[in-house]
Amino acid sequence: MGASMGASADTSAADAEASAIGKRVRDSEIVVTGTLESRELQKLKSPALGVSIDSEQIGAINTINTEDAIRYAPNLIVRKRYIGDANATLSFRNMHTTQTPRALVTVDGFLISDFLGASYSTAPKWAVLAPGDIARAEIIYGPTSARYSGNSLGGTLELVTREITENALRLNAQGFFQNYKYYDTDEDLYGYSLDAQADLKLDDRGGISFGYRHFENEGQPQQWRTVTPGTPYADQAIVDMGLGFPLRIAAQDAIADATEDQFRLRGNYDLGQGWTMRALAALLIDQDDTTNPKSFLRDESGAPTFIGISGITQGLSTSHELLTGLGLNGTISGWSVDLAASRFTLLKDRQRQSDPADVTTGIIPDSGKVTDDDAHWTALNATAERVLGIHSLSLGASYTGYYGNSETSATTAWRSMSDPVLQNASGGETELVGLFAEDALALTPEITATLGLRWEHWRAQNGFLLNGDDRVDYASRSDDAWSPKAALTWRPDAMTEFTASAAWATRFPTIGELYQASLISYGPNVGEVDLDGFNPDLTPEKGFDLQLTASRRIDNVKVTLSGYRQAVEDTLFSQSILIPSSDDPGTIVSQSLITNIGEVETWGIDLIVAAEDLILDGLDLDANLSWIDAKITENPLNPALVGNRFPRVPEWRANASLRYRVSDALDVAANVRHQNTPDRNIENNSSSRCGTYYCVSPFTFVDLKATTHLGAVDLSVGVDNLLDEKAFVFHPYPGRTVSIGLHWKGGL
């Protein structure tokens, strides 16, 4: 009996020590004190590299659209072509800007990632929030946690909204201006936004917020058009040799005139007995007008003319989008449970475009095309967490279902849509079911091992392609994937941490990659469906991610150094290959289409520095420097590409944000964004690295902001791209843009 009692006492002591270790692990994850600590992860979970952007950092940014909040985060880029761009895609580390299915983006746990395709048009739905809704942003690099689907292969971003703690009315007004000059383009462009929010506190049990924002902006022209040599006025063209061959620039596309009306509702409520509810609803009405292209050429009378100029069109687009989300969290039998359900619906999406101007007469015809898109997705997530001795367990399940359908019709009058005739259509559905288990095992007070496993079941169904009277239906497909994760964290003291992690992830194809063929852009069959331009038998891409991260806090400075290697087999990306022609299988043609590239390997290093009260009280710094080497290492379909750098991934990225609290009444900030020249195309040919229109160019943008606090009023003045640098991601980035903001907050 004595031996038995001794064993029991030893076990109790061990359990107590283990519980204490577990508590220290949990506390290191969630306790937030001071400025530097507020930049640690609080909502997202990962044993490897993750960063947060807090309200102080966001306040130093000229945030006009929601995606601006992450502008200076380490080793990522938002391809935002102009203010109000609905196609602002997000890329982490080694991602091309069209590899959108590798970026998992949520708002308060509700999915806003557009996994309907992988293109410039499948950006996250940023506009479900106004900039003033955001309290913080959290970012994980790579698929290091079993909690998140294979779509986290590049990284995960969660936007966290501002808590509702009081009765308040908030009014925000912004105005912005740029003068854009390039070639013969010289445009004064204006925009503004008006936002009103009412926050209502529901006793001591929660709150609800109503918001409405109206936004308008004139964005710089997104493309310039060339003239055919030998046509009557071609000698007036501006010749650009930046690509190594002449671009004879003769016209600009229309100014991108964007208008948005945004209705927002969000809230949280204490249901009692430890349960709380959160909700989010957003309705966006978006309209874009591109009806005023301009020619640089003049005829004999001095009037502008489009004679000889290719690709000149006019367009109008309208989109109505709705996101709804509901979440619950509480405790069941000692388990902390979180449930989230969300639904995104494309209520209406119609793009009307004229046929190109006649190169002989220069007249833009009334005929054109109308494209109607129908889409929705549903996301369900459930997680449960509990500490049992030295184990911090997490279990969960998820479901996402995507539906997309696109129809293009010809019309004799593109504005009024007279007599539309269906030309082509495509669409399909995908579903992804996931289960995960993860255990953060406190081996000692200093060492934690995190082990995770994720299983996913994917299904694609109802895929079809319609071209005129011909319809092809594709058989359903399904696949399964297991993705193990492992990490070892050593904290020798309270200021130092080392983490080594290994993670596998599988990213399955989207509807757009499988079924939505593109249209032919050039030649006699322009506008018709490219039957050779897609592959319904694509396999998923499989990534293996290794990271080694070290961080050290020295007084008021924290330094983080992270090295990583990621190898992705069967990378989904477009390349040119030789295939049989759809018209004549006996004829071999060169075709560019999304395929599986054998392997793309990336090596990289991220250096992140955060400092508060640096030299002077109130002087804070966030800076980061990234080196990326992404290359094709295997490619059976086109071995000539092996050794090439992956396109649109620069070798160097750097950001810095320097902020100074001059007094209680004045804050100032100076910020810098830089990347060097990435390769424009996968061929890495003679025109792959260039710095003109059509290229993906280097840039160094200097941004400034000053905010004065006058009681209930904040007045800010800022400028982005202070040096008016001309930079391109095929399309031009904005030039020097001046913004003025006025914020007022009062009681209700």
Side-chain angles (χ1 to χ4, degrees), residues 457-472:
H457 174 75
W458 170 82
R459 181 177 177 84
Q461 58 192 355
N462 299 324
F464 76 95
L465 175 64
L466 178 69
N467 185 37
D469 295 328
D470 299 325
R471 179 183 173 110
V472 180

Side-chain angles (χ1 to χ4, degrees), residues 330-345:
T331 303
I332 300 177
S333 300
W335 289 84
S336 297
V337 175
D338 187 89
L339 308 173
S342 61
R343 171 84 168 190
F344 175 86
T345 305

Side-chain angles (χ1 to χ4, degrees), residues 289 291 314 316 352 366 370 411 413-418:
D289 184 322
T291 55
Q314 295 176 310
L316 293 167
R352 292 174 283 165
D366 291 331
V370 178
T411 176
W414 68 270
R415 289 179 183 268
S416 61
M417 290 183 52
S418 299

Side-chain angles (χ1 to χ4, degrees), residues 159-233:
L159 299 173
V160 182
T161 59
R162 174 179 48 80
E163 292 187 3
I164 305 163
T165 58
E166 59 183 342
N167 295 326
L169 179 64
R170 301 168 189 267
L171 301 177
N172 296 278
Q174 290 177 301
F176 19 94
F177 164 79
Q178 70 159 318
N179 171 254
Y180 192 86
K181 294 181 179 180
Y182 199 74
Y183 300 131
D184 267 3
T185 299
D186 186 352
E187 301 280 0
D188 289 333
L189 304 170
Y190 299 88
Y192 73 92
S193 72
L194 299 172
D195 182 29
Q197 299 178 66
D199 292 352
L200 300 176
K201 187 178 179 182
L202 304 176
D203 297 325
D204 293 325
R205 304 190 67 174
I208 188 168
S209 178
F210 304 89
Y212 167 73
R213 185 179 193 236
H214 179 77
F215 167 91
E216 294 187 23
N217 183 59
E218 297 172 324
Q220 72 279 5
Q222 291 302 291
Q223 294 193 58
W224 288 274
R225 301 295 174 172
T226 58
V227 65
T228 304
T231 53
Y233 312 107

Side-chain angles (χ1 to χ4, degrees), residues 79 143 152 169 181 192 232 250 260 276 279 304 336 372-373 382 402 462 484 521 582 604 627 669 678 685 694 702 705:
R79 172 195 167 273
S152 66
L169 179 64
K181 294 181 179 180
Y192 73 92
E260 293 179 359
T276 60
S336 297
D372 288 296
D373 290 334
Y402 280 78
N462 299 324
S521 301
S582 59
W627 171 76
N685 56 25
Y694 201 80
V702 178
K705 185 178 182 180

Side-chain angles (χ1 to χ4, degrees), residues 38 70 97 101 142 169 212 230 358 393 397 405 407 453 456-457 486 495 508 550 638 694 738 741 745:
S38 71
I70 59 172
T97 53
L169 179 64
Y212 167 73
D358 188 299
L393 297 174
N405 182 78
E407 298 181 350
L453 182 63
E456 291 180 313
H457 174 75
M495 300 297 180
F508 292 98
N638 190 349
Y694 201 80
V738 178
K745 175 186 169 184

Side-chain angles (χ1 to χ4, degrees), residues 284-344:
L284 177 69
I285 300 174
D286 182 277
Q287 299 181 74
D288 289 330
D289 184 322
T290 52
T291 55
N292 189 28
K294 295 182 181 180
S295 176
F296 303 151
L297 310 185
R298 297 295 181 268
D299 62 17
E300 291 82 355
S301 68
T305 178
F306 292 123
I307 291 176
I309 303 176
S310 303
I312 292 294
T313 62
Q314 295 176 310
L316 293 167
S317 66
T318 302
S319 177
H320 298 174
E321 303 172 352
L322 176 66
L323 175 74
T324 55
L326 181 66
L328 294 170
N329 60 77
T331 303
I332 300 177
S333 300
W335 289 84
S336 297
V337 175
D338 187 89
L339 308 173
S342 61
R343 171 84 168 190
F344 175 86

